[in-house]
Amino acid sequence: MSISASGRTGPTEPIPTYAGAAVAPSVTDRLVNANQEYAAAFQDPGMDAQPVLKVAVVACMDARIDLHRALGLELGDCHTIRNAGGVVTDDTIRSLTISQRALGTRSVVLIHHTGCGLQNITEDFRTELEREVGQRPTWAVEAFSDVDQDVRQSMARVRTSPFLAHTDDVRGFVFDVHTGLLREITNK
């Protein structure tokens, strides 16, 4: 193990050389090396794809949220669906539908968080991308200014989807990135 510039402990990897000069490993190289260490000690847990707790958690992809630790979850407990903002999009509904109808989940937990990056951009982001790359994205940014209201909107999208079989246990929360606490959002 080695300590990186960020102070984190990680696997020690050899520094590859090219024409005699040392080349710093890429982040992906570091991840692949970490996987090799993980796999060396890996034991098949013998479980299937059906989550033990029959719950699907939809949350933001924000790197500050250690979702399993924050919720006291173990490997195999839940399906985890993460995207920018934790918003419920068509693809989220797709994943939830498969989770429920093919893999037995019954509950849905939605988690947004304080200080979300989607609160700092607008749908103009798509226009900027179009100018830069010459093609307009087909997806919406789903930016929002009121995190509580966006959680309510996401809950409504889940509860009204014709594809989801189980919409009676849908709850939404805001995770505080400074305290680690969840605050439940109601339908007020």
Side-chain angles (χ1 to χ4, degrees):
M1 294 292 228
S2 66
I3 297 180
S4 69
S6 69
R8 294 184 181 168
T9 303
T12 304
E13 63 264 347
I15 297 177
T17 59
Y18 179 74
V23 177
S26 72
V27 172
T28 304
D29 291 334
R30 199 181 103 213
L31 299 176
V32 170
N33 287 336
N35 173 258
Q36 290 170 350
E37 288 185 21
Y38 170 80
F42 183 78
Q43 294 182 359
D44 181 354
M47 55 181 69
D48 63 24
Q50 295 182 337
V52 173
L53 299 179
K54 299 186 183 308
V55 63
V57 179
V58 178
C60 185
M61 65 187 190
D62 193 293
R64 296 172 289 181
I65 304 170
D66 185 344
L67 200 57
H68 279 75
R69 282 189 57 203
L71 299 176
L73 295 168
E74 299 292 329
L75 181 68
D77 281 348
C78 74
H79 283 159
T80 305
I81 303 159
R82 293 184 82 157
N83 66 27
V87 296
V88 175
T89 62
D90 286 346
D91 193 59
T92 306
I93 294 294
R94 171 190 161 272
S95 293
L96 288 171
T97 302
I98 292 167
S99 177
Q100 286 189 358
R101 293 185 177 268
L103 297 165
T105 61
R106 299 291 180 263
S107 301
V108 178
V109 174
L110 305 171
I111 301 177
H112 286 32
H113 65 91
T114 59
C116 185
L118 281 185
Q119 292 176 283
N120 299 321
I121 62 176
T122 67
E123 292 297 322
D124 290 340
F125 183 77
R126 292 171 67 209
T127 303
E128 294 165 13
L129 278 173
E130 182 178 16
R131 275 191 226 118
E132 182 180 328
V133 302
Q135 182 177 343
R136 187 165 184 82
T138 57
W139 38 264
V141 174
E142 298 281 350
F144 54 87
S145 58
D146 183 334
V147 67
D148 291 17
Q149 183 54 37
D150 203 68
V151 172
R152 286 186 193 95
Q153 177 176 302
S154 289
M155 288 190 293
R157 286 178 176 172
V158 170
R159 289 181 177 140
T160 60
S161 173
F163 305 110
L164 298 174
H166 305 283
T167 58
D168 55 326
D169 188 15
V170 177
R171 293 173 64 186
F173 300 86
V174 174
F175 177 86
D176 187 310
V177 297
H178 299 294
T179 67
L181 290 172
L182 290 176
R183 178 173 52 83
E184 187 157 11
I185 303 301
T186 59
N187 285 327
K188 292 180 183 176

